Amino acid sequence: MNKITRLKYYIDTLCIFDLKKDPVIAELYDLLCSVKSDEVLRKQSGFFKTVSANKSLKTYISKCVLTDDNIFTRSACADKVEKLPKSILDAVKLDLMKLEQLSSLSASDISEAVTNEDIREMIKTVPCWETGKALPPLSEKWDRQIDDLISYCKANGYGKYAKHIAFTWRNKEICPVTSIDLITLSDLKNYEIQRQKVIDNTESFIAGHPANNVLLYGDRGTGKSSTVHALLNEYHSQGLRMIEISKSDVAELGLIREQLASSPMKFIIYIDDLSFDSNDTSFGELKAALEGSLSGRQSSNVLIYATSNRRHLIKENFTDRENDVNRGDTMQEQLSLSDRFGLTITFLNPNKAEYRDIVTKIASDRGLDVDEEHLCFMAEQWATRRGGRSPRCAKQFVDYVESCEKRGKSW
């Protein structure tokens, strides 16, 4: 059996790492099938463009292996490979052997398989794609690197959760977010006590210990959302993933949890700027998801983190109480939502001294060599013009100062 036919059969017989529907593998399969026709010229030209857009063939196929969603990678992520049948592990080794050989295919292998002299002459004018190197931890003899692959999955997840760390809920699907806020915990100044509570809860959650849903509430611009974003950047390498949903998606929390229930990874469902109108009944869905429904607390791999400018989350008018016969019952129902967050953390605007401290710390991080007294004086004026002191206001001011310094402008 010649090499081209063998590789085509290898694709046909992939079982666990079943990449037949992958667009690049499918295009490779079409190329292998075309070597006995004049279609090979067009197929090889197209395949060259595809591979070049993905760095190299071996790089691409090894990435597919590392990020595939299958019974082996899920078990590896959950540290349960030893519970898999021997037949599954044997199939994994065979698939890895086949995929490694596929990744080593060169353009010259195709031209050597062409029997028509005219086509063989023309195919030499088509550029050769890069074979390249496999992504770590894969190197050589992939079928002997099962332990390395298990360790990789434990640290990085599987499927789309290995490719991405942040997601959003759209059209009843968990969709990747390709561009995220890169802020880190060290970028955030002051509020150490509040932030440490969130960190401790998150670390307990990642370690598989009991942890609480979290409500971060307080004044605008105090770093509530930034704290949540920084947690993801800090702990994604330990298996943490985040799914941001809007308030309008709260009614679908049950569906989101169902999709995540079988995953061995840890997920924070993040709701920013959460609040409800007094006549908004969707807060009942959130109450059930936090605690109270049959399915509300069964998922040990999902927590809800929410930010809000309101402690009690539900906007209420005096007329709402005046027209309510059972006012006490209604108040209890509305207050019970915020009570169901096991951890509630308050972020309040800094006083003048705290604001100055935040400004100078950010400026120091940026390496700005400026007069501290002048910096703080101008920062106070900046805050006055913008309606009050806050960490966000401090950062915006330092951004302005840095821009002026780099352009040689006065500020």
Side-chain angles (χ1 to χ4, degrees):
M1 183 185 301
N2 62 53
K3 182 176 183 178
I4 299 301
T5 302
R6 185 173 67 255
L7 293 180
K8 183 167 70 72
Y9 288 160
Y10 277 175
I11 296 176
D12 283 328
T13 55
L14 291 172
C15 296
I16 306 301
F17 289 88
D18 190 1
L19 303 177
K20 302 182 189 72
K21 294 182 180 180
D22 178 86
V24 176
I25 301 298
E27 193 170 341
L28 173 58
Y29 186 83
D30 288 343
L31 172 61
L32 296 174
C33 292
S34 70
V35 294
K36 294 185 179 180
S37 70
D38 55 7
E39 280 288 293
V40 68
L41 292 171
R42 184 173 62 84
K43 298 288 186 182
Q44 181 141 331
S45 176
F47 190 66
F48 168 80
K49 290 187 287 186
T50 299
V51 172
S52 298
N54 291 281
K55 295 186 179 180
S56 74
L57 184 57
K58 187 164 288 189
T59 298
Y60 181 82
I61 293 181
S62 62
K63 182 179 181 180
C64 289
V65 170
L66 295 175
T67 59
D68 195 41
D69 183 351
N70 60 58
I71 187 174
F72 171 78
T73 54
R74 283 185 175 235
S75 298
C77 182
D79 200 16
K80 295 180 179 179
V81 170
E82 70 280 358
K83 295 183 179 180
L84 292 175
K86 182 177 181 298
S87 59
I88 296 293
L89 295 177
D90 290 342
V92 168
K93 293 177 182 178
L94 287 170
D95 281 356
L96 291 174
M97 179 275 293
K98 294 171 183 177
L99 288 166
E100 183 180 15
Q101 292 200 28
L102 279 166
S103 70
S104 301
L105 179 73
S106 67
S108 60
D109 291 328
I110 301 296
S111 62
E112 289 174 7
V114 173
T115 56
N116 185 294
E117 293 296 330
D118 293 335
I119 296 177
R120 178 179 289 183
E121 186 69 25
M122 285 302 302
I123 209 168
K124 293 178 181 178
T125 67
V126 179
C128 299
W129 59 79
E130 293 287 336
T131 301
K133 294 183 178 180
L135 293 175
L138 298 177
S139 55
E140 296 180 355
K141 299 187 184 303
W142 295 358
D143 57 320
R144 299 182 185 179
Q145 292 193 267
I146 299 294
D147 290 341
D148 294 326
L149 193 52
I150 291 172
S151 298
Y152 181 89
C153 291
K154 284 182 186 178
N156 298 278
Y158 63 91
K160 62 185 176 183
Y161 303 121
K163 298 177 185 177
H164 306 278
I165 63 173
F167 303 83
T168 187
W169 180 253
R170 187 167 57 247
N171 298 326
K172 300 188 184 302
E173 289 188 6
I174 298 171
C175 303
V177 174
T178 56
S179 179
I180 64 172
D181 185 356
L182 299 179
I183 193 168
T184 64
L185 291 172
S186 61
D187 293 330
L188 303 173
K189 308 305 178 187
N190 296 17
Y191 299 90
E192 287 86 359
I193 295 175
Q194 293 92 327
R195 199 162 291 118
Q196 191 60 48
K197 291 179 181 178
V198 187
I199 291 171
D200 290 343
N201 189 73
T202 305
E203 289 181 346
S204 181
F205 174 54
I206 293 170
H209 304 314
N212 285 301
N213 298 301
V214 180
L215 173 64
L216 301 87
Y217 89 94
D219 298 317
R220 69 186 191 278
T222 49
K224 302 182 296 295
S225 300
S226 295
T227 296
V228 179
H229 298 164
L231 287 172
L232 177 63
N233 293 322
E234 183 75 18
Y235 295 106
H236 70 83
S237 62
Q238 298 181 38
L240 182 67
R241 298 295 182 265
M242 190 169 292
I243 303 168
E244 183 171 10
I245 69 172
S246 64
K247 190 193 76 171
S248 60
D249 296 324
V250 165
E252 297 182 333
L253 272 170
L255 180 59
I256 299 172
R257 285 187 169 219
E258 285 179 11
Q259 292 194 18
L260 299 175
S262 62
S263 174
M265 304 189 73
K266 301 294 185 181
F267 297 90
I268 289 176
I269 297 177
Y270 170 50
I271 313 171
D272 192 28
D273 196 20
L274 180 65
S275 65
F276 298 95
D277 294 324
S278 58
N279 60 351
D280 190 342
T281 59
S282 62
F283 75 89
E285 298 287 346
L286 181 55
K287 281 175 58 179
L290 290 168
E291 198 172 349
S293 72
L294 288 174
S295 61
R297 295 292 292 170
Q298 70 181 14
S299 299
S300 61
N301 66 331
V302 178
L303 285 182
I304 296 174
Y305 282 22
T307 65
S308 179
N309 296 332
R310 302 177 60 86
R311 169 65 175 87
H312 295 304
L313 301 179
I314 300 173
K315 301 174 184 177
E316 187 180 19
N317 301 318
F318 282 112
T319 55
D320 295 329
R321 298 190 180 186
E322 291 171 358
N323 298 327
D324 194 344
V325 176
N326 299 306
R327 183 176 64 184
D329 290 345
T330 300
M331 291 177 64
Q332 286 298 319
E333 181 184 18
Q334 293 177 350
L335 294 175
S336 67
L337 174 57
S338 54
D339 289 345
R340 294 196 182 192
F341 285 94
L343 187 61
T344 301
I345 302 170
T346 307
F347 287 73
L348 299 178
N349 277 332
N351 59 32
K352 185 175 181 178
E354 292 167 338
Y355 176 68
R356 287 168 60 101
D357 188 43
I358 294 170
V359 169
T360 55
K361 285 178 178 177
I362 297 175
S364 176
D365 282 357
R366 305 282 183 89
L368 295 177
D369 185 16
V370 296
D371 180 74
E372 184 174 317
E373 285 302 316
H374 180 60
L375 179 74
C376 293
F377 175 77
M378 296 301 295
E380 188 67 23
Q381 290 194 338
W382 180 280
T384 301
R385 290 194 298 269
R386 281 156 181 78
R389 308 179 187 96
S390 72
R392 179 188 294 158
C393 180
K395 178 183 178 300
Q396 291 170 344
F397 171 69
V398 177
D399 287 342
Y400 167 72
V401 172
E402 183 178 14
S403 174
C404 290
E405 286 289 311
K406 289 183 176 179
R407 292 181 294 123
K409 303 288 185 179
S410 61
W411 47 273

mmCIF file with all atom_site columns, all heavy atoms in Angstrom, residues 95 140 277 404:
data_model
loop_
_atom_site.group_PDB
_atom_site.id
_atom_site.type_symbol
_atom_site.label_atom_id
_atom_site.label_alt_id
_atom_site.label_comp_id
_atom_site.label_asym_id
_atom_site.label_entity_id
_atom_site.label_seq_id
_atom_site.pdbx_PDB_ins_code
_atom_site.Cartn_x
_atom_site.Cartn_y
_atom_site.Cartn_z
_atom_site.occupancy
_atom_site.B_iso_or_equiv
_atom_site.pdbx_formal_charge
_atom_site.auth_seq_id
_atom_site.auth_comp_id
_atom_site.auth_asym_id
_atom_site.auth_atom_id
_atom_site.pdbx_PDB_model_num
ATOM 1  N N   . ASP A 1 95  ? -4.901  6.454  17.217 1.00 0.00 ? 95  ASP A N   1
ATOM 2  C CA  . ASP A 1 95  ? -5.244  7.742  16.616 1.00 0.00 ? 95  ASP A CA  1
ATOM 3  C C   . ASP A 1 95  ? -4.049  8.689  16.632 1.00 0.00 ? 95  ASP A C   1
ATOM 4  O O   . ASP A 1 95  ? -3.795  9.402  15.646 1.00 0.00 ? 95  ASP A O   1
ATOM 5  C CB  . ASP A 1 95  ? -6.418  8.392  17.355 1.00 0.00 ? 95  ASP A CB  1
ATOM 6  C CG  . ASP A 1 95  ? -7.760  7.801  16.964 1.00 0.00 ? 95  ASP A CG  1
ATOM 7  O OD1 . ASP A 1 95  ? -7.787  6.943  16.061 1.00 0.00 ? 95  ASP A OD1 1
ATOM 8  O OD2 . ASP A 1 95  ? -8.785  8.205  17.560 1.00 0.00 ? 95  ASP A OD2 1
ATOM 9  N N   . GLU A 1 140 ? 7.739   13.870 19.528 1.00 0.00 ? 140 GLU A N   1
ATOM 10 C CA  . GLU A 1 140 ? 7.852   12.723 18.623 1.00 0.00 ? 140 GLU A CA  1
ATOM 11 C C   . GLU A 1 140 ? 7.213   11.503 19.285 1.00 0.00 ? 140 GLU A C   1
ATOM 12 O O   . GLU A 1 140 ? 7.150   11.407 20.507 1.00 0.00 ? 140 GLU A O   1
ATOM 13 C CB  . GLU A 1 140 ? 9.320   12.440 18.297 1.00 0.00 ? 140 GLU A CB  1
ATOM 14 C CG  . GLU A 1 140 ? 10.005  13.570 17.532 1.00 0.00 ? 140 GLU A CG  1
ATOM 15 C CD  . GLU A 1 140 ? 11.458  13.236 17.229 1.00 0.00 ? 140 GLU A CD  1
ATOM 16 O OE1 . GLU A 1 140 ? 11.932  12.182 17.706 1.00 0.00 ? 140 GLU A OE1 1
ATOM 17 O OE2 . GLU A 1 140 ? 12.108  14.026 16.520 1.00 0.00 ? 140 GLU A OE2 1
ATOM 18 N N   . ASP A 1 277 ? -36.110 45.912 37.929 1.00 0.00 ? 277 ASP A N   1
ATOM 19 C CA  . ASP A 1 277 ? -37.244 46.770 38.240 1.00 0.00 ? 277 ASP A CA  1
ATOM 20 C C   . ASP A 1 277 ? -38.190 46.005 39.157 1.00 0.00 ? 277 ASP A C   1
ATOM 21 O O   . ASP A 1 277 ? -38.198 44.767 39.189 1.00 0.00 ? 277 ASP A O   1
ATOM 22 C CB  . ASP A 1 277 ? -37.983 47.188 36.960 1.00 0.00 ? 277 ASP A CB  1
ATOM 23 C CG  . ASP A 1 277 ? -37.128 48.088 36.079 1.00 0.00 ? 277 ASP A CG  1
ATOM 24 O OD1 . ASP A 1 277 ? -36.376 48.908 36.641 1.00 0.00 ? 277 ASP A OD1 1
ATOM 25 O OD2 . ASP A 1 277 ? -37.208 47.959 34.839 1.00 0.00 ? 277 ASP A OD2 1
ATOM 26 N N   . CYS A 1 404 ? 0.319   62.779 28.115 1.00 0.00 ? 404 CYS A N   1
ATOM 27 C CA  . CYS A 1 404 ? 0.935   64.098 28.010 1.00 0.00 ? 404 CYS A CA  1
ATOM 28 C C   . CYS A 1 404 ? 2.450   64.031 28.129 1.00 0.00 ? 404 CYS A C   1
ATOM 29 O O   . CYS A 1 404 ? 3.192   64.681 27.388 1.00 0.00 ? 404 CYS A O   1
ATOM 30 C CB  . CYS A 1 404 ? 0.374   65.027 29.092 1.00 0.00 ? 404 CYS A CB  1
ATOM 31 S SG  . CYS A 1 404 ? -1.358  65.502 28.833 1.00 0.00 ? 404 CYS A SG  1
#
